[in-house]
Amino acid sequence: MKSVIIASLACSAAAFAPAQTGRASTAVNGFENELGVIAPTGFFDPLGFTDDIDQEKFDQYRTAELKHGRVAQLAVIGYIVPEIFRWGFDIAPGVACADVPNGVAAIDAIPALGWAQIIFAIGAVDVRGWFGNFDIGKPDLKGKDEERALQELQHGRLAMLAILELLRHDSQNLVKPGFDGLDNLITGLPFLYN
């Protein structure tokens, strides 16, 4: 009986002893000083895509991130502009741009020929680079290359989140119209619709 009491006292005393905590590993494969690593997240790779990769593969990932960011920026603009402006041409014979609804609802409204035009144009620009590299319109950065590259990376990340939210909101509105009680996508600027 004495041994049971002594053992229970020892266990209860151990419950109040300070626990030893292990140190978490903060190694990030040397990419913590790359452009785009910003506070408060630091180097953010929760899925471990950069585990055991070299600098060349990381640069390939960064190039893909920039490209996706640029496409997302164009997608956000392309999602918002039809709310206030409609082009005057036909996207397919007999289907004017003004007749195509905004957002996700446009998927069913655009005929196959219209989709073929869109896919051809995107493919031509992506594969052939037909738009080229023009000198006109480029800002004179004068030593601000790294700052502007960081801004482009941040804007691309924000645009990727923005287009996902626009698609989510619009898709939910298709399933349950008026779920949010709002008639227009851009509710903060009502003069756009007058």
Side-chain angles (χ1 to χ4, degrees):
M1 184 68 168
K2 278 186 189 180
S3 60
V4 172
I5 294 172
I6 292 173
S8 65
L9 287 174
C11 289
S12 63
F16 295 102
Q20 291 185 353
T21 57
R23 296 186 140 235
S25 174
T26 57
V28 289
N29 300 332
F31 301 123
E32 65 270 4
N33 294 324
E34 290 289 332
L35 186 69
V37 178
I38 52 176
T41 57
F43 184 75
F44 186 70
D45 183 21
L47 300 177
F49 287 128
T50 59
D51 293 347
D52 302 323
I53 66 168
D54 58 357
Q55 185 67 38
E56 182 180 346
K57 190 68 170 176
F58 180 82
D59 292 342
Q60 186 180 7
Y61 286 165
R62 179 52 49 90
T63 302
E65 181 182 12
L66 278 171
K67 189 173 189 177
H68 287 107
R70 290 171 180 167
V71 169
Q73 289 175 50
L74 289 172
V76 169
I77 294 299
Y79 216 91
I80 293 173
V81 166
E83 289 282 321
I84 57 175
F85 176 79
R86 294 301 182 128
W87 296 102
F89 63 89
D90 289 356
I91 195 159
V95 180
C97 287
D99 297 337
V100 178
N102 295 349
V104 179
I107 293 172
D108 291 334
I110 298 174
L113 184 58
W115 281 113
Q117 290 173 358
I118 293 168
I119 291 169
F120 176 76
I122 292 170
V125 170
D126 195 35
V127 173
R128 304 286 298 186
W130 281 353
F131 285 148
N133 189 6
F134 302 106
D135 289 331
I136 193 166
K138 287 186 179 177
D140 186 18
L141 299 176
K142 291 189 181 167
K144 294 186 178 183
D145 290 339
E146 187 172 314
E147 179 184 345
R148 293 297 293 250
L150 178 60
Q151 289 173 350
E152 181 181 16
L153 198 58
Q154 291 173 325
H155 294 166
R157 290 171 178 171
L158 179 62
M160 287 186 267
L161 292 173
I163 193 62
L164 286 174
E165 173 53 25
L166 286 169
L167 288 169
R168 185 218 51 89
H169 183 272
D170 204 16
S171 298
Q172 187 170 354
N173 208 21
L174 275 179
V175 173
K176 185 179 177 189
F179 78 97
D180 56 1
L182 304 173
D183 295 331
N184 300 316
L185 178 66
I186 306 171
T187 58
L189 305 170
F191 62 86
L192 293 175
Y193 299 101
N194 295 334

